[in-house]
Amino acid sequence: MSTVEVNHISKTFATTRAVEDVSFTVEPGEIFGLLGPNGAGKTTSIRIILDIFKPDSGSVVVLGGPMTEEKKNRIGYLPEERGLYQDINLERCLIYLATLKGLEPAEAQKRIDVYLQRFDLADHRKKKVKELSKGMQQKAQLIVTLIHQPELVIIDEPFAALDPVNTQMVKDLLREERDRGKTIVMCTHQMNQVEELCDRLVLINKGKTMLYGSLGEIRRQYATQAVSVHSPQTLPKAIPGVQHVKRENSGYHLLLTEGTTAQQVLRELVERGIPLDSFEIAMPTLDEIFIQVVRGEGARG
Amino acid sequence: MRKLWLVAKYEYLRHVLRKRFLVSILSMPIFFAFIIGVGFLSAILQMDRTPIGYVDHSGLLANPQRPPEAEDSLDYVEMTAFPDEPAAEAALAEGSIRAYYILDSDYLSTGAVEVVANEAKGTEGQGDFRDFVLYNLLQNQDAEVRERLVNGPVLEIRSMDGEKGMGENNILGFLVPMVAAIMLMISINTSGGYLLQALVEEKENRTLEILVTSVSPTQLMAGKIIGNLSVGLTQIGAWLSVAIIGLLVLVRFLPVGQDIQLDPGYLGLLLLLMLPAFVMISALMAMVGATATESREAQQIAGLFTLPLVVPIWFISAILANPNSPLAVGMSLFPLTAPLTLSLRAGYTTVPAWQIITSVTLLILCAIGALWLAGRGFRIGLLRYGKRLTWREILGRQNGRV
């Protein structure tokens, strides 16, 4: 049974079509990427999943059925931007929001102590939320998202305000949660984070699904007939089966002719006695795919 | 349900534990104490105890007497007799008296009195001298008769069915409805204002998204309204306790408050009017908070329906002069003006039961209607940052689709 099933949802605000016929499923225990440029309809989709908005058409199944009040305690949500009370002290804010997720105050306090230590926020517990830096607020929000040990975690731009150290910490935390069997939906436009963390993803643009599948599949789908080669020696200009040789950073990008396989090129290079530091199929980065899709080149093949 | 109380408790403590709240609770009694204090002070400052002189050609004041208790009074003025005008003139010139009165020899038949004063008009102490003469003219009368003639009747005004009475000297009978009504308005406005502000802030900083994914919108709103209602009630409770303590002190030291009567039925009516009014205004504030895009705009819109609440103040003299006029009755039935008008009228007259029942029923219905509207507005307008909600959308039949 999928944790989240989104079936053909559409949503229009006044004259703006925010989401149009979007479908995807999120499986238990995976980190699922919900990607798209700004204004693509990611947040609207999330709000529909969370039942903040009702879709104009289509349906959503969450944790085995429609969204209910009881299920709210089994879901953790981190919205984009702030989302905390600014005028009260951090600890009180966390306890209040945790109790709203069904925790008893004493239990909430105990768990908050652990999280504050781990997130390096213990010294700031009595400070007003608005006195904390953006990064600290982001971490505090993550505490609110995770404290009630939800089965489904939905996070919108979790790394937006974090420095590299904290980014790493949050990534570790998300992996940890996944390893405990939690399902995570991560909404972002930072492709490198998705490459590192996500198992599967959907890419939406202008409200429509552009790509959907596992990371590997999608990259293979977008792979060109090319290999990337590193060699201490200069490569010859003409290699059989190679259309074009281009210098790329410290190595070479070889574009193969139609019908040539990477093995043939490798054999050729080895036979010519060219020393090789590395030889790999040139996979497009998610960034490249993203830009390609968003610029309207569409899916291939 | 547990979450509803969590929200209510949070909303309550969040305001009550703030310094701002303490200040708002203290400021009202301090304000009143200040006004009353200044009033007393100016009355005392205006009081002139310089003696008044008289030259008596009539012989009526040959053996002058004063009421025995008069010397204890704050405004006791000494009356000094002079044998002739030049002596009085001299005393006036050196300032030991502020004026002198000359009673003609045929005063009893003509009533002719001449008064000489050198200061501004109004400082001659006419009332004091009149009482003095009157008291002495009645020297031979029975003490009780003299007392009645000097002090006049003590009026008590009653309505026709004899239920509602008001002593002429019962300042409270006049003050309580007025003060109660004003306190009601202020606390409805402040606690409604807190609610409005809190909602707009939550919307602006996205806390609402966290809240609505934890609590149902209905529970969230009900919790907020109960929390803020309790803030308003606490405020009123605190003011009432200060007022009661103040009254006890007043009764102890001043004669004015001695026939205080606070009718429990009247307090009950205040409560019946206040609770639905509170819920109605809070719900309307919540709706505006949910639909407006920024706090300044929200406050402007909120003014549109808090203004009618205080409209009865403008008509106060018309309402009090004729508490059963169509204007007064109409304003008692219209939900936004009802709380103030009805509580004012009930203090001065016997309001027919049908009017009270209709008015309270209408208020309760409106409170429920406002809650319904707020619920819809809340659900629809909740997360539409920067986009204004139209009335058509709130009232439109979209089967709850948002």
Side-chain angles (χ1 to χ4, degrees), chain B residues 194-386:
Chain B
Y194 286 154
L195 181 66
L196 177 77
Q197 197 190 352
L199 264 171
V200 174
E201 266 173 30
E202 276 169 7
K203 211 166 109 170
E204 272 171 0
N205 67 25
R206 311 300 204 250
T207 322
L208 262 190
E209 290 189 39
I210 300 266
L211 294 176
V212 292
T213 52
S214 306
V215 192
S216 75
T218 321
Q219 283 191 20
L220 179 64
M221 217 182 50
K224 276 179 176 297
I225 288 175
I226 292 174
N228 284 282
L229 182 71
S230 315
V231 173
L233 290 179
T234 308
Q235 200 171 33
I236 289 189
W239 288 341
L240 270 185
S241 344
V242 173
I244 288 169
I245 294 170
L247 284 182
L248 292 178
V249 172
L250 198 71
V251 172
R252 195 152 157 60
F253 291 107
L254 291 172
V256 281
Q258 261 151 13
D259 52 347
I260 292 179
Q261 25 175 312
L262 271 184
D263 181 8
Y266 180 67
L267 292 180
L269 176 69
L270 278 188
L271 215 64
L272 267 180
L273 289 171
M274 198 170 68
L275 285 176
F278 238 120
V279 172
M280 178 177 71
I281 299 296
S282 299
L284 287 174
M285 293 272 196
M287 188 188 69
V288 172
T291 51
T293 50
E294 54 184 74
S295 38
R296 197 190 308 167
E297 187 198 331
Q299 250 139 23
Q300 283 163 356
I301 301 175
L304 287 182
F305 51 75
T306 50
L307 200 64
L309 287 177
V310 290
V311 159
I313 298 247
W314 298 336
F315 293 96
I316 201 160
S317 52
I319 293 171
L320 296 189
N322 197 352
N324 292 314
S325 64
L327 171 79
V329 174
M331 280 168 67
S332 307
L333 296 180
F334 181 65
L336 282 175
T337 49
L340 223 160
T341 316
L342 205 59
S343 56
L344 276 173
R345 283 178 64 209
Y348 297 103
T349 180
T350 307
V351 181
W354 72 266
Q355 286 185 18
I356 296 181
I357 293 169
T358 316
S359 178
V360 171
T361 313
L362 277 178
L363 262 177
I364 292 175
L365 287 179
C366 280
I368 294 171
L371 276 175
W372 178 82
L373 269 184
R376 275 197 72 85
F378 196 66
R379 181 92 162 109
I380 302 173
L382 198 56
L383 302 167
R384 295 185 52 185
Y385 307 109

Side-chain angles (χ1 to χ4, degrees), chain A residues 11 47 50-52 54-55 69 72-73 77 79 81 83-88 96 99-101 103, chain B residues 2-3 6-7 10 14 202 205-207 209-216 379 383 385 401-402:
Chain A
K11 177 81 193 164
R47 287 176 179 164
L50 288 167
D51 198 35
I52 296 174
K54 300 254 186 264
E69 286 307 312
K72 287 184 175 175
N73 288 354
Y77 172 45
E81 298 176 55
L84 298 173
Y85 284 106
Q86 299 290 305
D87 263 342
I88 55 174
Y96 174 55
T99 51
L100 284 187
K101 283 290 186 186
L103 288 184
Chain B
R2 181 176 162 255
K3 289 182 179 177
L6 277 172
V7 174
Y10 172 80
R14 154 190 165 109
E202 276 169 7
N205 67 25
R206 311 300 204 250
T207 322
E209 290 189 39
I210 300 266
L211 294 176
V212 292
T213 52
S214 306
V215 192
S216 75
R379 181 92 162 109
L383 302 167
Y385 307 109
R401 285 193 184 277
V402 182

Side-chain angles (χ1 to χ4, degrees), chain B residues 94-105:
Chain B
E94 74 177 25
S96 60
I97 55 170
R98 55 177 137 139
Y100 66 90
Y101 290 77
I102 306 158
L103 261 70
D104 266 10
S105 48

Side-chain angles (χ1 to χ4, degrees), chain B residues 46-97:
Chain B
Q46 279 176 15
M47 222 176 262
D48 192 348
R49 299 190 59 174
T50 315
I52 293 170
Y54 63 90
V55 180
D56 177 25
H57 297 303
S58 65
L60 292 167
L61 302 172
N63 180 22
Q65 281 184 15
R66 303 297 301 268
E69 69 280 1
E71 276 185 50
D72 297 336
S73 159
L74 272 178
D75 52 358
Y76 175 75
V77 179
E78 206 178 309
M79 301 289 162
T80 314
F82 291 95
D84 49 30
E85 281 92 334
E89 183 90 43
L92 183 63
E94 74 177 25
S96 60
I97 55 170

Side-chain angles (χ1 to χ4, degrees), chain A residues 60-81:
Chain A
V60 172
V61 175
V62 179
L63 298 169
M67 186 72 171
T68 61
E69 286 307 312
E70 176 272 328
K71 278 181 189 164
K72 287 184 175 175
N73 288 354
R74 293 159 63 194
I75 298 174
Y77 172 45
L78 179 129
E80 196 183 357
E81 298 176 55

